[in-house]
Amino acid sequence: MGSKTPGNDNYQRGDSQSSSAAIGNGEVRGRNNSQDGDGCMGSNGGGEDDDGEGDDDNNDVAPPTLTLTGASSADASKSKKKKRKRHGKKNKTSILKQSSPPRVPLHDLFPSGSYPTGELLGYDASSETRNTAKTKEVRIDGLRRTNESAFLDNYRKAAEIHRQARHWVQQSVKPGQTLTEIAVEVEDSVRALLDNQGLEPGQSLQAGMGFPTGLSLNNVVAHYTPNPGQKDIVLQHSDVMKVDFGVHINGWIVDSAFTMAFDPEYDNLLAAVKAATNAGIKTAGIDVRISDVSAAIQETMESYEVEIKGRMYPVKAVRSLCAHDIKQYRIHGGKSIPFVKNSDQTKMEEGEVFAIETFGTTGRAYLKDDSGIYGYGLDPGAPARVSLPLASANRVYKTIKDNFGGIVFCRRYLERLGVERYLAGLNSLVSNGILEAYQPLMDVPGSYSAQFEHTILLRESQKEVVSRGDDY
């Protein structure tokens, strides 16, 4: 989920995502999937930890060899009767596989509780002799956290859930489906994999969606999700769709995103953004300056161009969004990494978690707010309770605190909990500065945009790209 850059340039409002029409047909391009059937990382993922996964080739028991001892020649002549073959018993224990869409809880697929490790990358040699800006106590705390088994288990489990949920999206989503159908299916899959429906107070704080599923089309670059009261949008063959969703366990959020297109003419746009994200991941590390990561992202992305409908477009790095660090129950932790060159000397530090994402566009690259609301998030300093003149504001605030805390949520989530007549209360909380509203962000009409994103942990001797899969 992109962090918005302050001070966006404004321009005349054009077509928004809320105006969509025809249905088309086609096959997904540019996904480069080579995943296992359950959507996990395959041979590089779980190793011996992949309980519940594996081949059936060794399940049959070999027929025993029959040995005769102490038999006379007469007995031997009598024993010319045809011997009945003995068949080895087959192991009747079935290997549990993931369903489509995913409905088998992840703990049933990994009964040992050990989940696949992400991609492990070393730091550049230049960072081996580093001067840490943090105090010793803070550094030790960050180191302890990123080496703690519970912390790593939370992140690795959430990442495997993300892989399996997005595997279904990549294999099953086709033009003709509505964005509401897609979003609900993604979120139902995540909750089923977590084995937590989140319908009781406190359950969604234990584990659930890290933020609402983003399904932004074409010139709508980020922060669009279908909500009640909006006209439903049908996915078309000509659309470029960014799929951005998060999974959290105990407040530790895996934030990862990819882009789907059904027409090969967009392939170079997707390739540019994927390469830029990987350049950012490669450059990131302990004591690396924000400006260095930004420069690597922009240089990579803007080396591409794409031909769409006979016209050549340079791929531009979006100026109005940033990659960001992640804190517990806070998707935007406070540090931001722009996608363009800058002079920010802030350093990435040991023990931090970052969402390294990039957005590329064929448009102006300066975004403006679209109509509608994507979701809401409580201010980090929000009080335990509020007492506002509007009774519905006090009621909905309690629901938010009990069910979401600092996790970003949307109106669909409130209605799923059975909350009614909440709009005036939400507006009151926003106007009083207690709740922040996030709007969709759009580039000029007629432009196309793409996004790729991974969550990385900056551990002591290596960085772990926890959300990495065989797809991207």
Side-chain angles (χ1 to χ4, degrees), residues 308-355:
I308 300 175
K309 298 178 176 62
R311 180 180 171 184
M312 197 66 72
Y313 295 88
V315 179
K316 299 177 184 177
V318 168
R319 270 66 173 169
S320 310
L321 286 165
C322 296
H324 50 91
D325 68 330
I326 299 173
K327 288 187 166 33
Q328 192 173 23
Y329 291 107
R330 287 176 58 194
I331 189 60
H332 298 148
K335 288 186 177 180
S336 297
I337 305 175
F339 311 138
V340 293
K341 294 177 181 178
N342 59 78
S343 58
D344 190 346
Q345 298 299 296
T346 303
K347 291 182 178 180
M348 307 175 85
E349 297 173 293
E350 188 176 304
E352 290 182 324
V353 181
F354 276 88

Side-chain angles (χ1 to χ4, degrees), residues 66 76-86:
L66 184 62
S77 64
K78 288 181 182 178
S79 63
K80 290 185 178 180
K81 296 179 182 178
K82 189 175 180 181
K83 297 184 179 70
R84 189 171 62 180
K85 292 182 179 179
R86 294 178 61 191

Side-chain angles (χ1 to χ4, degrees), residues 224-261:
Y224 177 85
T225 198
N227 269 309
Q230 297 174 333
K231 181 180 178 181
D232 216 347
I233 298 172
V234 177
L235 183 64
Q236 302 178 50
H237 178 265
S238 60
D239 285 333
V240 178
M241 179 170 69
K242 283 76 64 185
V243 182
D244 187 2
F245 67 97
V247 181
H248 92 86
I249 297 175
N250 294 318
W252 295 112
I253 306 168
V254 166
D255 184 359
S256 188
F258 60 97
T259 300
M260 296 178 69

Side-chain angles (χ1 to χ4, degrees), residues 162-183:
H162 197 285
R163 281 189 288 270
Q164 294 199 19
R166 77 192 190 219
H167 178 72
W168 174 85
V169 176
Q170 293 161 343
Q171 295 298 317
S172 304
V173 167
K174 299 288 187 291
Q177 293 175 270
T178 68
L179 297 193
T180 298
E181 290 170 345
I182 298 168

Side-chain angles (χ1 to χ4, degrees), residues 97-376:
K97 292 290 186 182
Q98 188 53 266
S99 61
S100 181
R103 291 297 181 268
V104 180
L106 198 69
H107 59 67
D108 289 347
L109 298 175
F110 295 87
S112 70
S114 180
Y115 301 100
T117 302
E119 181 187 31
L120 298 176
L121 300 174
Y123 296 117
D124 288 342
S126 59
S127 66
E128 288 179 359
T129 56
R130 53 185 181 257
N131 295 314
T132 53
K134 284 186 175 181
T135 65
K136 181 179 178 181
E137 292 76 12
V138 175
R139 261 195 314 113
I140 290 174
D141 182 62
L143 171 62
R144 185 185 299 118
R145 187 176 67 242
T146 51
N147 285 322
E148 213 171 60
S149 60
F151 172 84
L152 291 173
D153 285 346
N154 286 339
Y155 256 113
R156 290 169 180 170
K157 181 178 181 180
E160 180 62 21
I161 287 171
H162 197 285
R163 281 189 288 270
Q164 294 199 19
R166 77 192 190 219
H167 178 72
W168 174 85
V169 176
Q170 293 161 343
Q171 295 298 317
S172 304
V173 167
K174 299 288 187 291
Q177 293 175 270
T178 68
L179 297 193
T180 298
E181 290 170 345
I182 298 168
V184 169
E185 196 57 71
V186 168
E187 292 160 0
D188 285 350
S189 296
V190 168
R191 294 182 184 112
L193 285 159
L194 286 166
D195 197 17
N196 180 13
Q197 290 302 308
L199 293 172
E200 298 297 326
Q203 285 186 340
S204 289
L205 293 173
Q206 298 168 2
M209 298 301 300
F211 50 85
T213 302
L215 299 172
S216 304
L217 302 182
N218 307 324
N219 69 303
V220 180
V221 178
H223 298 173
Y224 177 85
T225 198
N227 269 309
Q230 297 174 333
K231 181 180 178 181
D232 216 347
I233 298 172
V234 177
L235 183 64
Q236 302 178 50
H237 178 265
S238 60
D239 285 333
V240 178
M241 179 170 69
K242 283 76 64 185
V243 182
D244 187 2
F245 67 97
V247 181
H248 92 86
I249 297 175
N250 294 318
W252 295 112
I253 306 168
V254 166
D255 184 359
S256 188
F258 60 97
T259 300
M260 296 178 69
F262 304 88
D263 190 320
E265 71 176 350
Y266 304 114
D267 283 357
N268 236 32
L269 172 62
L270 273 60
V273 181
K274 185 187 293 185
T277 297
N278 286 329
I281 292 169
K282 181 180 178 181
T283 307
I286 297 170
D287 281 341
V288 173
R289 292 177 174 84
I290 295 294
S291 57
D292 293 335
V293 182
S294 299
I297 288 170
Q298 184 177 18
E299 181 179 356
T300 301
M301 188 181 301
E302 297 190 348
S303 67
Y304 284 76
E305 55 185 13
V306 57
E307 184 177 353
I308 300 175
K309 298 178 176 62
R311 180 180 171 184
M312 197 66 72
Y313 295 88
V315 179
K316 299 177 184 177
V318 168
R319 270 66 173 169
S320 310
L321 286 165
C322 296
H324 50 91
D325 68 330
I326 299 173
K327 288 187 166 33
Q328 192 173 23
Y329 291 107
R330 287 176 58 194
I331 189 60
H332 298 148
K335 288 186 177 180
S336 297
I337 305 175
F339 311 138
V340 293
K341 294 177 181 178
N342 59 78
S343 58
D344 190 346
Q345 298 299 296
T346 303
K347 291 182 178 180
M348 307 175 85
E349 297 173 293
E350 188 176 304
E352 290 182 324
V353 181
F354 276 88
I356 302 295
E357 64 182 322
T358 67
F359 293 83
T361 178
T362 62
R364 286 187 58 210
Y366 292 93
L367 309 184
K368 67 169 293 185
D369 292 337
D370 195 3
S371 58
I373 298 294
Y374 159 76
Y376 303 86

